[in-house]
């Protein structure tokens, strides 16, 4: 019986010894993956906190001097990797945004997402030399982690952080009310919003205010049939109006197609009304920037009054009564 017992135990010992060897081999392999001057980094993506579904993202790592040192694309849930010991800055953005591109990514502060240029439609040239851009859509990015501004990589240690990319665009919501003389009705309302930013810097957390651009839009009637009330919603990285801006910083060019086949146009200044919205918001625009434009059509003339649609920025009600500003 002893001989049989010994014979049956030998395979078991082989299995145990094999497991030990494999375990040791695994430890050796892990040690070879990291050098003494490196550390592990795990940075999780929090898309739920961003208010969107899971998206593919690109991670851009910058050293303390702001130079790009590592780029990783195709991350959907968590970046896991090895970096030399040190302090890093980070830009993370989704890769499925529409009508935009990136430039200046070789430096942290110059990394910019920008709207692609396009051509004006026939007859729409509201400002000489002002480029027309496409609407930026579904743009999410961040210039830092949730827990800290920088990523600290420690020697032979693991750094665990998370990022929540924020939506970078605001939406200008314009409600047009048309008062046309002679029983005329409006078949279509198109326009151009001038004075918008063409890009955004996640590292500096601000839009690019170096030049003025324009975005075209087509307003939709509030009822299925043509009516006197139209609404347009335009995505922008930012508006150029500030508390100190001169008149004409932000304008809207409107073209009305009437049911008799004629067309009337006009350009109106939004700057004073936008400055009132800024003042009510403590110097910042809300995520939704609501405007009410009342258009008065008299034969071939078009005049307008502009006011905030809803100064709370919620876009959830009628405009508050206040003095209107007429722009010829």
């Amino acid at each position: 019986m002893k001989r049989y017992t010994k014979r049956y135990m030998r395979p078991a010992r082989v299995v145990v010894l094999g497991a030990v060897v494999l375990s040791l081999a695994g430890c050796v392999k892990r040690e070879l993956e990291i050098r003494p001057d490196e550390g592990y980094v795990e940075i999780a993506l929090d898309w739920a906190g961003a208010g969107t579904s899971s998206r593919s993202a690109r991670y851009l790592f910058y050293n303390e001097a702001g130079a790009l040192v590592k780029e990783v694309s195709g991350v959907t849930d968590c970046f896991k990797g090895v970096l030399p010991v040190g302090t890093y800055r980070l830009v993370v953005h989704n890769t499925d945004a529409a009508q935009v591109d990136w430039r200046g990514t070789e430096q942290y502060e110059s990394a910019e997402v920008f709207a692609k240029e396009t051509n004006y439609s026939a007859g729409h040239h509201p400002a000489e030399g002002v480029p027309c851009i496409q609407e930026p859509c579904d743009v999410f990015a961040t210039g830092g982690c949730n827990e800290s501004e920088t990523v600290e990589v420690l020697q032979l240690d693991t750094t665990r952080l998370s990022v929540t990319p924020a939506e970078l665009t605001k939406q200008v919501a314009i409600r047009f009310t048309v008062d046309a003389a002679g029983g005329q009705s409006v078949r279509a309302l198109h326009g151009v919003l001038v004075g918008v930013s063409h890009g955004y810097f996640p590292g500096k957390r601000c839009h690019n205010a170096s030049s003025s651009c324009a975005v075209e839009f087509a307003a939709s009637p509030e009822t299925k049939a043509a009516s006197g009330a139209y609404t347009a919603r335009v995505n922008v990285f930012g508006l150029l109006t500030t508390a100190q801006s001169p008149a004409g910083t932000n304008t809207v060019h409107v073209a009305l197609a009437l049911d008799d086949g004629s067309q009337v146009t006009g350009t109106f200044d939004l700057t004073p009304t936008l400055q009132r919205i800024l003042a009510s918001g403590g110097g910042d625009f809300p995520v939704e920037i609501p405007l009410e434009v009342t258009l008065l059509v008299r034969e071939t003339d078009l005049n307008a009054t502009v006011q905030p649609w809803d100064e709370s920025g919620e876009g959830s009600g009628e405009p508050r009564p206040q003095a209107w500003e007429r722009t010829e």
Side-chain angles (χ1 to χ4, degrees), residues 135 170-177 189-193 215-222 229-236 252-254 270 288-293 295 309:
E135 285 188 64
K170 296 181 182 295
Q171 187 176 83
V172 182
I174 310 177
R175 185 175 190 270
F176 295 93
T177 302
L189 191 159
H190 294 83
V192 180
L193 177 63
V215 178
E216 288 190 323
F217 62 84
S220 301
E222 294 189 352
Y230 285 75
T231 301
R233 297 184 179 274
V234 186
N235 291 324
V236 298
V252 61
H253 177 78
V254 180
L270 305 177
E288 181 180 286
I289 306 169
L291 297 168
E292 174 92 9
V293 179
L295 300 171
W309 182 356

Side-chain angles (χ1 to χ4, degrees), residues 271-314:
T271 309
T273 303
L274 290 172
Q275 288 173 327
R276 287 160 55 192
I277 295 176
L278 275 175
S280 66
D284 294 318
F285 283 118
V287 174
E288 181 180 286
I289 306 169
L291 297 168
E292 174 92 9
V293 179
T294 301
L295 300 171
L296 182 64
V297 183
R298 294 295 181 266
E299 296 181 351
T300 59
D301 293 329
L302 182 63
N303 294 317
T305 58
V306 183
Q307 69 171 2
W309 182 356
D310 176 6
E311 287 186 295
S312 68
E314 299 296 329

Side-chain angles (χ1 to χ4, degrees), residues 13-199:
R13 288 175 181 170
V14 172
V15 171
V16 172
L17 289 173
V20 171
V21 171
L22 289 174
S23 177
L24 290 174
C27 292
V28 172
K29 182 179 179 182
R30 180 176 176 83
E31 289 174 359
L32 291 175
E33 289 175 352
I34 183 170
R35 299 181 302 189
D37 62 341
E38 295 178 331
Y40 288 102
V41 179
E42 296 182 5
I43 305 177
L45 273 168
D46 178 17
W47 288 120
T52 184
S53 57
S54 179
R55 298 170 179 267
S56 177
R58 179 169 70 153
Y59 283 57
L60 300 171
F61 290 90
Y62 299 85
N63 62 20
E64 288 187 273
L68 180 66
V69 295
K70 189 178 182 66
E71 175 181 340
V72 180
S73 296
V75 181
T76 56
D77 54 359
C78 184
F79 165 81
K80 297 180 181 181
V82 175
L83 287 172
V85 172
T87 301
Y88 298 86
R89 291 193 173 275
L90 178 66
V91 169
V92 177
H93 69 88
N94 66 310
T95 55
D96 61 346
Q99 303 179 159
V100 299
D101 204 348
W102 284 79
R103 61 190 169 199
T105 55
E106 63 277 359
Q107 291 290 324
Y108 175 73
E109 290 199 346
S110 65
E112 178 190 9
V113 56
F114 65 95
K116 296 179 180 180
E117 287 194 21
T118 186
N119 296 321
Y120 285 106
S121 300
H124 285 180
H125 299 284
E128 186 68 27
V130 177
C132 186
I133 59 174
Q134 301 179 56
E135 285 188 64
C137 299
D138 295 324
V139 187
F140 294 83
T142 181
C145 298
N146 296 331
E147 297 81 1
S148 62
E149 288 290 316
T150 59
V151 179
E152 302 291 336
V153 180
L154 306 177
Q155 184 178 20
L156 299 176
D157 201 354
T158 299
T159 300
R160 292 185 175 90
L161 297 168
S162 63
V163 290
T164 304
E167 189 164 14
L168 299 187
T169 57
K170 296 181 182 295
Q171 187 176 83
V172 182
I174 310 177
R175 185 175 190 270
F176 295 93
T177 302
V178 183
D179 180 3
Q184 287 269 43
S185 62
V186 178
R187 291 191 303 167
L189 191 159
H190 294 83
V192 180
L193 177 63
V194 181
V196 305
S197 166
H198 63 267

Side-chain angles (χ1 to χ4, degrees), residues 1-8:
M1 291 298 292
K2 289 184 180 180
R3 287 199 303 271
Y4 289 113
T5 302
K6 188 175 182 180
R7 187 177 300 167
Y8 285 123

